[in-house]
Amino acid sequence: MATTPSQSVAATGTDGGAANYRFALGSLTTLFFMWGFITCLNDILIPHLKAVFSLNYTQAMLIQFCFFGAYFLVSVPAGVLVKRLGYQKGIVVGLLTAALGCGLFYPAAVSASYGVFLGALFVLASGITLLQVAANPYVTALGAAETASSRLTLTQAFNSLGTTVAPAFGAMLILSVAAGASVEAEAEAVKLPYLLLCGMLLLLAVVFALLKLPHIHDQEDEALGGDAKPASALHHRHLVLGAIGIFVYVGGEVAIGSLLVSFLGQTHVAGMAEAEAAHYIAFYWGGAMVGRFIGAAVMQKVPAGKVLGFNAAMAAILVVVAVMSQGALAMWAILAVGLFNSIMFPTIFSLALKNLGPVTAQGSGILCLAIVGGAVVPLAQGAIADVAGLSISFLLPVLCYAYILFYGLSGSNPSKERP
């Protein structure tokens, strides 16, 4: 009988036993919280820098393009690095890189240059990419394969906790700048929050460098041995379809979150000022947090693919309702999408990695590469918003959810590796 990841950990971890990997999972939740917090701050940066530099929707979405574009450029090298260093050291390098990116917001604010802001975001996202490549498969390996979706969903709930807290933090420290302030003053509003984040990331890097975490021989050592062919992970159909699923999911979720403040600011929806609307983003991301805790329990009993398909259908329906209605119904319908987004990323990720064995790290790199959807789909939606109107542009994520429905019900079924 083949050895499961949980058996491997119990046999080879530093302390052995379930307690050891429970401690590891607990430690990893801090990473999920931090990168959720940082990523969600982009939803505050977009309306803020849009006003500071007088940008249209397409130009403002370059923020997400540079941030998530890093996933496309960095994921494959990050996968190679994780194979070489192992999961734990990969996490430390990712934290240090993300800290550098946060630190670069200081010269960006001083120069009041949109281009420098975009460069800082790229470096920051490069660190987050490395964290994703290392942490997500590590979580799936720290336990039985049958409950990998539930386990990753639970840790992703702490990612959602970060995204729930971030809007209030950003509204208080970034969007609170007095109206009519100079470009320089408004640009400098980002200094304090990102310097604080820089300090937190450096502290986490020190902590993770000192922690004694279990070593996953099944996936790390075999990958390090170089026995697998470089492109072998792509021979798994469910991984390839899962990568497309990650692309459209991240793209749809980020596109909606990026334009929520603007959507709620429309007179036929809620007519809210930016600072007020920013607080309501917490309902969108808070719904994702609640849904992940619920989903982690549900997927102990219900197949993950069916749960994924149901959530995708509900998300699509809610977006259509938001576009076709107005007032409170439109506002709460679009905010409720977060509840059904909740389990999508971790579920697609874990379903796509199922049965990959020694090419799991490589598969994780490919899936993180697909997170570039967060760069492409929001930019496309911004272009549609400039041409056809903001509300109509929200129909683009509906197409994304339609594909996820297919993947959950059919495309996620593992097939034998092609020769």
Side-chain angles (χ1 to χ4, degrees), residues 246-269:
I246 292 290
F247 180 94
V248 298
Y249 164 69
V250 175
E253 181 192 49
V254 170
I256 292 173
S258 299
L259 293 173
L260 267 181
V261 170
S262 298
F263 184 83
L264 298 181
Q266 295 181 113
T267 54
H268 75 278
V269 178

PDB file of all heavy atoms in Angstrom, residues 246-269:
ATOM      1  N   ILE A 246      -7.933  27.898 -11.344  1.00  0.00           N
ATOM      2  CA  ILE A 246      -7.286  28.910 -10.490  1.00  0.00           C
ATOM      3  C   ILE A 246      -7.220  30.244 -11.219  1.00  0.00           C
ATOM      4  O   ILE A 246      -7.480  31.305 -10.638  1.00  0.00           O
ATOM      5  CB  ILE A 246      -5.865  28.443 -10.094  1.00  0.00           C
ATOM      6  CG1 ILE A 246      -5.936  27.232  -9.159  1.00  0.00           C
ATOM      7  CG2 ILE A 246      -5.090  29.591  -9.447  1.00  0.00           C
ATOM      8  CD1 ILE A 246      -6.458  27.525  -7.775  1.00  0.00           C
ATOM      9  N   PHE A 247      -6.895  30.217 -12.523  1.00  0.00           N
ATOM     10  CA  PHE A 247      -6.797  31.435 -13.323  1.00  0.00           C
ATOM     11  C   PHE A 247      -8.115  32.215 -13.295  1.00  0.00           C
ATOM     12  O   PHE A 247      -8.136  33.415 -12.995  1.00  0.00           O
ATOM     13  CB  PHE A 247      -6.428  31.074 -14.764  1.00  0.00           C
ATOM     14  CG  PHE A 247      -6.292  32.256 -15.697  1.00  0.00           C
ATOM     15  CD1 PHE A 247      -5.049  32.827 -15.919  1.00  0.00           C
ATOM     16  CD2 PHE A 247      -7.394  32.791 -16.350  1.00  0.00           C
ATOM     17  CE1 PHE A 247      -4.906  33.916 -16.777  1.00  0.00           C
ATOM     18  CE2 PHE A 247      -7.267  33.876 -17.204  1.00  0.00           C
ATOM     19  CZ  PHE A 247      -6.028  34.444 -17.419  1.00  0.00           C
ATOM     20  N   VAL A 248      -9.220  31.536 -13.600  1.00  0.00           N
ATOM     21  CA  VAL A 248     -10.498  32.250 -13.690  1.00  0.00           C
ATOM     22  C   VAL A 248     -11.044  32.592 -12.311  1.00  0.00           C
ATOM     23  O   VAL A 248     -11.681  33.642 -12.121  1.00  0.00           O
ATOM     24  CB  VAL A 248     -11.536  31.457 -14.508  1.00  0.00           C
ATOM     25  CG1 VAL A 248     -11.060  31.275 -15.946  1.00  0.00           C
ATOM     26  CG2 VAL A 248     -11.851  30.099 -13.891  1.00  0.00           C
ATOM     27  N   TYR A 249     -10.781  31.723 -11.313  1.00  0.00           N
ATOM     28  CA  TYR A 249     -11.275  32.044  -9.969  1.00  0.00           C
ATOM     29  C   TYR A 249     -10.601  33.286  -9.410  1.00  0.00           C
ATOM     30  O   TYR A 249     -11.260  34.225  -8.957  1.00  0.00           O
ATOM     31  CB  TYR A 249     -11.067  30.874  -8.987  1.00  0.00           C
ATOM     32  CG  TYR A 249     -11.216  31.365  -7.585  1.00  0.00           C
ATOM     33  CD1 TYR A 249     -12.466  31.772  -7.109  1.00  0.00           C
ATOM     34  CD2 TYR A 249     -10.116  31.553  -6.760  1.00  0.00           C
ATOM     35  CE1 TYR A 249     -12.618  32.307  -5.849  1.00  0.00           C
ATOM     36  CE2 TYR A 249     -10.244  32.086  -5.498  1.00  0.00           C
ATOM     37  CZ  TYR A 249     -11.497  32.468  -5.041  1.00  0.00           C
ATOM     38  OH  TYR A 249     -11.639  33.032  -3.803  1.00  0.00           O
ATOM     39  N   VAL A 250      -9.265  33.278  -9.404  1.00  0.00           N
ATOM     40  CA  VAL A 250      -8.544  34.427  -8.853  1.00  0.00           C
ATOM     41  C   VAL A 250      -8.891  35.688  -9.643  1.00  0.00           C
ATOM     42  O   VAL A 250      -9.107  36.755  -9.069  1.00  0.00           O
ATOM     43  CB  VAL A 250      -7.022  34.186  -8.858  1.00  0.00           C
ATOM     44  CG1 VAL A 250      -6.277  35.429  -8.393  1.00  0.00           C
ATOM     45  CG2 VAL A 250      -6.671  33.004  -7.960  1.00  0.00           C
ATOM     46  N   GLY A 251      -8.967  35.547 -10.976  1.00  0.00           N
ATOM     47  CA  GLY A 251      -9.325  36.697 -11.801  1.00  0.00           C
ATOM     48  C   GLY A 251     -10.677  37.253 -11.444  1.00  0.00           C
ATOM     49  O   GLY A 251     -10.847  38.471 -11.266  1.00  0.00           O
ATOM     50  N   GLY A 252     -11.680  36.391 -11.312  1.00  0.00           N
ATOM     51  CA  GLY A 252     -13.021  36.842 -10.981  1.00  0.00           C
ATOM     52  C   GLY A 252     -13.115  37.453  -9.598  1.00  0.00           C
ATOM     53  O   GLY A 252     -13.711  38.520  -9.400  1.00  0.00           O
ATOM     54  N   GLU A 253     -12.519  36.782  -8.618  1.00  0.00           N
ATOM     55  CA  GLU A 253     -12.577  37.283  -7.247  1.00  0.00           C
ATOM     56  C   GLU A 253     -11.869  38.636  -7.116  1.00  0.00           C
ATOM     57  O   GLU A 253     -12.396  39.566  -6.494  1.00  0.00           O
ATOM     58  CB  GLU A 253     -11.934  36.283  -6.289  1.00  0.00           C
ATOM     59  CG  GLU A 253     -11.984  36.735  -4.835  1.00  0.00           C
ATOM     60  CD  GLU A 253     -11.098  35.911  -3.926  1.00  0.00           C
ATOM     61  OE1 GLU A 253      -9.918  35.709  -4.269  1.00  0.00           O
ATOM     62  OE2 GLU A 253     -11.586  35.484  -2.873  1.00  0.00           O
ATOM     63  N   VAL A 254     -10.686  38.735  -7.697  1.00  0.00           N
ATOM     64  CA  VAL A 254      -9.917  39.978  -7.599  1.00  0.00           C
ATOM     65  C   VAL A 254     -10.609  41.104  -8.362  1.00  0.00           C
ATOM     66  O   VAL A 254     -10.647  42.253  -7.902  1.00  0.00           O
ATOM     67  CB  VAL A 254      -8.481  39.763  -8.129  1.00  0.00           C
ATOM     68  CG1 VAL A 254      -7.744  41.081  -8.257  1.00  0.00           C
ATOM     69  CG2 VAL A 254      -7.721  38.824  -7.196  1.00  0.00           C
ATOM     70  N   ALA A 255     -11.177  40.799  -9.525  1.00  0.00           N
ATOM     71  CA  ALA A 255     -11.873  41.821 -10.310  1.00  0.00           C
ATOM     72  C   ALA A 255     -13.039  42.400  -9.528  1.00  0.00           C
ATOM     73  O   ALA A 255     -13.240  43.625  -9.479  1.00  0.00           O
ATOM     74  CB  ALA A 255     -12.359  41.231 -11.628  1.00  0.00           C
ATOM     75  N   ILE A 256     -13.822  41.537  -8.887  1.00  0.00           N
ATOM     76  CA  ILE A 256     -14.956  42.011  -8.095  1.00  0.00           C
ATOM     77  C   ILE A 256     -14.472  42.845  -6.914  1.00  0.00           C
ATOM     78  O   ILE A 256     -14.950  43.961  -6.678  1.00  0.00           O
ATOM     79  CB  ILE A 256     -15.809  40.823  -7.603  1.00  0.00           C
ATOM     80  CG1 ILE A 256     -16.512  40.152  -8.782  1.00  0.00           C
ATOM     81  CG2 ILE A 256     -16.846  41.293  -6.580  1.00  0.00           C
ATOM     82  CD1 ILE A 256     -17.235  38.859  -8.415  1.00  0.00           C
ATOM     83  N   GLY A 257     -13.506  42.307  -6.155  1.00  0.00           N
ATOM     84  CA  GLY A 257     -13.006  43.037  -4.996  1.00  0.00           C
ATOM     85  C   GLY A 257     -12.382  44.374  -5.351  1.00  0.00           C
ATOM     86  O   GLY A 257     -12.544  45.356  -4.636  1.00  0.00           O
ATOM     87  N   SER A 258     -11.686  44.426  -6.486  1.00  0.00           N
ATOM     88  CA  SER A 258     -10.996  45.652  -6.895  1.00  0.00           C
ATOM     89  C   SER A 258     -11.970  46.784  -7.204  1.00  0.00           C
ATOM     90  O   SER A 258     -11.640  47.959  -7.028  1.00  0.00           O
ATOM     91  CB  SER A 258     -10.133  45.377  -8.129  1.00  0.00           C
ATOM     92  OG  SER A 258      -9.145  44.417  -7.855  1.00  0.00           O
ATOM     93  N   LEU A 259     -13.149  46.435  -7.702  1.00  0.00           N
ATOM     94  CA  LEU A 259     -14.103  47.452  -8.139  1.00  0.00           C
ATOM     95  C   LEU A 259     -15.283  47.609  -7.187  1.00  0.00           C
ATOM     96  O   LEU A 259     -16.243  48.326  -7.505  1.00  0.00           O
ATOM     97  CB  LEU A 259     -14.603  47.123  -9.552  1.00  0.00           C
ATOM     98  CG  LEU A 259     -13.534  47.229 -10.648  1.00  0.00           C
ATOM     99  CD1 LEU A 259     -14.072  46.723 -11.980  1.00  0.00           C
ATOM    100  CD2 LEU A 259     -13.045  48.667 -10.791  1.00  0.00           C
ATOM    101  N   LEU A 260     -15.215  46.961  -6.035  1.00  0.00           N
ATOM    102  CA  LEU A 260     -16.330  47.062  -5.087  1.00  0.00           C
ATOM    103  C   LEU A 260     -16.559  48.486  -4.606  1.00  0.00           C
ATOM    104  O   LEU A 260     -17.708  48.945  -4.519  1.00  0.00           O
ATOM    105  CB  LEU A 260     -16.073  46.152  -3.879  1.00  0.00           C
ATOM    106  CG  LEU A 260     -16.657  44.743  -3.933  1.00  0.00           C
ATOM    107  CD1 LEU A 260     -16.335  43.996  -2.648  1.00  0.00           C
ATOM    108  CD2 LEU A 260     -18.161  44.784  -4.145  1.00  0.00           C
ATOM    109  N   VAL A 261     -15.489  49.180  -4.254  1.00  0.00           N
ATOM    110  CA  VAL A 261     -15.636  50.559  -3.770  1.00  0.00           C
ATOM    111  C   VAL A 261     -16.305  51.417  -4.837  1.00  0.00           C
ATOM    112  O   VAL A 261     -17.222  52.189  -4.547  1.00  0.00           O
ATOM    113  CB  VAL A 261     -14.262  51.145  -3.369  1.00  0.00           C
ATOM    114  CG1 VAL A 261     -14.383  52.648  -3.104  1.00  0.00           C
ATOM    115  CG2 VAL A 261     -13.730  50.438  -2.128  1.00  0.00           C
ATOM    116  N   SER A 262     -15.864  51.278  -6.083  1.00  0.00           N
ATOM    117  CA  SER A 262     -16.470  52.042  -7.177  1.00  0.00           C
ATOM    118  C   SER A 262     -17.912  51.608  -7.420  1.00  0.00           C
ATOM    119  O   SER A 262     -18.784  52.440  -7.692  1.00  0.00           O
ATOM    120  CB  SER A 262     -15.643  51.864  -8.458  1.00  0.00           C
ATOM    121  OG  SER A 262     -14.334  52.363  -8.283  1.00  0.00           O
ATOM    122  N   PHE A 263     -18.194  50.296  -7.325  1.00  0.00           N
ATOM    123  CA  PHE A 263     -19.553  49.784  -7.545  1.00  0.00           C
ATOM    124  C   PHE A 263     -20.513  50.352  -6.500  1.00  0.00           C
ATOM    125  O   PHE A 263     -21.615  50.807  -6.832  1.00  0.00           O
ATOM    126  CB  PHE A 263     -19.550  48.255  -7.491  1.00  0.00           C
ATOM    127  CG  PHE A 263     -20.881  47.622  -7.796  1.00  0.00           C
ATOM    128  CD1 PHE A 263     -21.291  47.417  -9.108  1.00  0.00           C
ATOM    129  CD2 PHE A 263     -21.728  47.227  -6.767  1.00  0.00           C
ATOM    130  CE1 PHE A 263     -22.520  46.831  -9.388  1.00  0.00           C
ATOM    131  CE2 PHE A 263     -22.961  46.643  -7.038  1.00  0.00           C
ATOM    132  CZ  PHE A 263     -23.350  46.447  -8.361  1.00  0.00           C
ATOM    133  N   LEU A 264     -20.102  50.336  -5.236  1.00  0.00           N
ATOM    134  CA  LEU A 264     -20.954  50.857  -4.172  1.00  0.00           C
ATOM    135  C   LEU A 264     -21.073  52.371  -4.235  1.00  0.00           C
ATOM    136  O   LEU A 264     -22.018  52.948  -3.684  1.00  0.00           O
ATOM    137  CB  LEU A 264     -20.400  50.434  -2.803  1.00  0.00           C
ATOM    138  CG  LEU A 264     -20.344  48.926  -2.525  1.00  0.00           C
ATOM    139  CD1 LEU A 264     -19.802  48.657  -1.132  1.00  0.00           C
ATOM    140  CD2 LEU A 264     -21.719  48.285  -2.688  1.00  0.00           C
ATOM    141  N   GLY A 265     -20.132  53.032  -4.906  1.00  0.00           N
ATOM    142  CA  GLY A 265     -20.185  54.486  -5.041  1.00  0.00           C
ATOM    143  C   GLY A 265     -21.167  54.961  -6.098  1.00  0.00           C
ATOM    144  O   GLY A 265     -21.493  56.157  -6.150  1.00  0.00           O
ATOM    145  N   GLN A 266     -21.666  54.042  -6.942  1.00  0.00           N
ATOM    146  CA  GLN A 266     -22.624  54.432  -7.974  1.00  0.00           C
ATOM    147  C   GLN A 266     -23.938  54.886  -7.333  1.00  0.00           C
ATOM    148  O   GLN A 266     -24.410  54.287  -6.362  1.00  0.00           O
ATOM    149  CB  GLN A 266     -22.892  53.260  -8.929  1.00  0.00           C
ATOM    150  CG  GLN A 266     -21.681  52.837  -9.747  1.00  0.00           C
ATOM    151  CD  GLN A 266     -22.015  51.684 -10.684  1.00  0.00           C
ATOM    152  OE1 GLN A 266     -22.013  51.844 -11.901  1.00  0.00           O
ATOM    153  NE2 GLN A 266     -22.288  50.520 -10.125  1.00  0.00           N
ATOM    154  N   THR A 267     -24.534  55.933  -7.887  1.00  0.00           N
ATOM    155  CA  THR A 267     -25.746  56.504  -7.289  1.00  0.00           C
ATOM    156  C   THR A 267     -26.911  55.525  -7.290  1.00  0.00           C
ATOM    157  O   THR A 267     -27.742  55.550  -6.371  1.00  0.00           O
ATOM    158  CB  THR A 267     -26.154  57.787  -8.042  1.00  0.00           C
ATOM    159  OG1 THR A 267     -26.284  57.491  -9.443  1.00  0.00           O
ATOM    160  CG2 THR A 267     -25.109  58.878  -7.853  1.00  0.00           C
ATOM    161  N   HIS A 268     -27.005  54.652  -8.291  1.00  0.00           N
ATOM    162  CA  HIS A 268     -28.135  53.727  -8.336  1.00  0.00           C
ATOM    163  C   HIS A 268     -27.938  52.508  -7.438  1.00  0.00           C
ATOM    164  O   HIS A 268     -28.843  51.678  -7.292  1.00  0.00           O
ATOM    165  CB  HIS A 268     -28.399  53.262  -9.780  1.00  0.00           C
ATOM    166  CG  HIS A 268     -27.408  52.264 -10.291  1.00  0.00           C
ATOM    167  ND1 HIS A 268     -26.188  52.635 -10.799  1.00  0.00           N
ATOM    168  CD2 HIS A 268     -27.456  50.903 -10.364  1.00  0.00           C
ATOM    169  CE1 HIS A 268     -25.531  51.547 -11.176  1.00  0.00           C
ATOM    170  NE2 HIS A 268     -26.277  50.485 -10.924  1.00  0.00           N
ATOM    171  N   VAL A 269     -26.738  52.396  -6.828  1.00  0.00           N
ATOM    172  CA  VAL A 269     -26.487  51.288  -5.902  1.00  0.00           C
ATOM    173  C   VAL A 269     -26.541  51.785  -4.459  1.00  0.00           C
ATOM    174  O   VAL A 269     -27.499  51.524  -3.732  1.00  0.00           O
ATOM    175  CB  VAL A 269     -25.144  50.597  -6.193  1.00  0.00           C
ATOM    176  CG1 VAL A 269     -24.875  49.468  -5.182  1.00  0.00           C
ATOM    177  CG2 VAL A 269     -25.131  50.038  -7.608  1.00  0.00           C
TER     178      VAL A 269
END
